[in-house]
Amino acid sequence: MAAVLGARAPYAQQVDFVIDATLPVRETELPYTLNLNLSAVATTRIGVGALLDLREIQKIVPERLANNAIVDNCGLQVRLDDLSFGAKDDAIDLNGEVTIAIFECSRTGERNFQRGEEKNAILANMSTEATVELRDNCAYIKLIDLTLTAPEVQREQVLEDDTLESVKELMLAAVDLVLKETPLCPELPAELASLDPVYEKGGPREIGEGGFGVFLDGSVDVSPSTILDILTVLQQQELIPGRP
């Protein structure tokens, strides 16, 4: 559950909120910080800038994914051994190492197969770039492409024809499925729920040196309930006087 941690009003027509939030990923929740900026842009609209600070997730995810299988079927297993990712200007870079294991696979029925002994395995380097797509007020991370490279000697010994290319396509499909199930939808606390911002654009944002962030820009329709909620929070934070 998101919660307001603090607010500040650095300028007369601008106020910033810092919100603790979590991203649900399957059976766990990952923490991040939402920096919300409200500014006056017109008499009936408030500009909204949301910066999702994902540096904690950037630390946690590689540890959680280590030694996990990205692809695991009868004849093939692709295990993620190492992963690092970060933002660079307006792009996201991911690098790591994967173990590609090839198994014997025998048919045991019309639709059933049984994995046999491991035939061989190689260690490959993985590199890819990702971007952010904005849909339905949520940011979705999307891989642009993925490159797998393996030592020439090992590749000739273990992988035949276009196997490495096939592994790449399977990995892209598996990762894409997870990312589609894990959108970044900034959650506002109950005190600010009436803002209901509409985000119009977004993308990756580097925070500090390589820190991973996502920005969203949009606006809020001004209504009496919106103004009252903002004033209430500012009073609670003692940024403006309370009721007399």
Side-chain angles (χ1 to χ4, degrees):
M1 180 67 68
V4 173
L5 291 183
R8 63 190 184 95
Y11 307 105
Q13 293 185 320
Q14 178 178 318
V15 62
D16 298 333
F17 296 96
V18 181
I19 301 165
D20 238 4
T22 56
L23 174 66
V25 181
R26 302 205 169 173
E27 297 180 356
T28 187
E29 292 189 343
L30 301 176
Y32 70 93
T33 301
L34 172 61
N35 296 286
L36 193 71
N37 170 265
L38 305 180
S39 58
V41 293
T43 54
T44 59
R45 294 191 74 75
I46 297 173
V48 178
L51 177 62
L52 287 73
D53 187 338
L54 305 174
R55 286 178 291 182
E56 282 301 310
I57 292 178
Q58 189 177 357
K59 296 176 185 177
I60 295 171
V61 167
E63 298 174 0
R64 298 276 179 91
L65 291 181
N67 300 314
N68 276 272
I70 303 174
V71 177
D72 198 3
N73 58 39
C74 182
L76 173 70
Q77 184 185 76
V78 182
R79 188 178 67 248
L80 184 62
D81 298 322
D82 183 54
L83 175 70
S84 64
F85 67 95
K88 181 64 177 176
D89 298 327
D90 59 353
I92 307 167
D93 292 325
L94 295 93
N95 298 280
E97 293 181 343
V98 296
T99 295
I100 302 171
I102 310 296
F103 296 88
E104 297 283 356
C105 182
S106 303
R107 182 185 290 273
T108 58
E110 185 177 346
R111 297 184 179 180
N112 298 320
F113 296 85
Q114 181 175 346
R115 175 182 286 178
E117 294 184 0
E118 182 180 305
K119 295 166 61 177
N120 217 324
I122 65 169
L123 183 67
N125 294 317
M126 176 191 72
S127 62
T128 182
E129 283 191 355
T131 187
V132 170
E133 292 185 349
L134 187 61
R135 300 197 307 270
D136 301 324
N137 238 29
C138 293
Y140 289 79
I141 298 174
K142 180 178 178 60
L143 296 186
I144 298 174
D145 197 3
L146 186 146
T147 301
L148 285 176
T149 56
E152 192 70 29
V153 174
Q154 286 187 316
R155 188 163 65 244
E156 290 178 354
Q157 290 176 346
V158 181
L159 302 174
E160 300 175 357
D161 302 323
D162 62 348
T163 305
L164 202 60
E165 185 68 19
S166 298
V167 170
K168 184 188 90 168
E169 294 302 321
L170 288 170
M171 289 179 63
L172 278 171
V175 174
D176 187 57
L177 180 62
V178 174
L179 293 177
K180 283 182 178 178
E181 295 176 348
T182 317
L184 296 164
C185 305
E187 180 185 355
L188 299 183
E191 299 94 325
L192 296 174
S194 69
L195 267 64
D196 194 22
V198 175
Y199 298 112
E200 296 154 358
K201 63 178 181 178
R205 174 67 55 83
E206 183 177 14
I207 301 175
E209 186 67 31
F212 181 32
V214 171
F215 78 90
L216 300 172
D217 284 338
S219 60
V220 171
D221 284 323
V222 175
S223 67
S225 61
T226 299
I227 298 301
L228 287 175
D229 285 346
I230 294 174
L231 291 175
T232 299
V233 173
L234 294 179
Q235 288 171 346
Q236 291 172 347
Q237 297 293 324
E238 300 181 350
L239 292 175
I240 60 175
R243 293 179 179 180

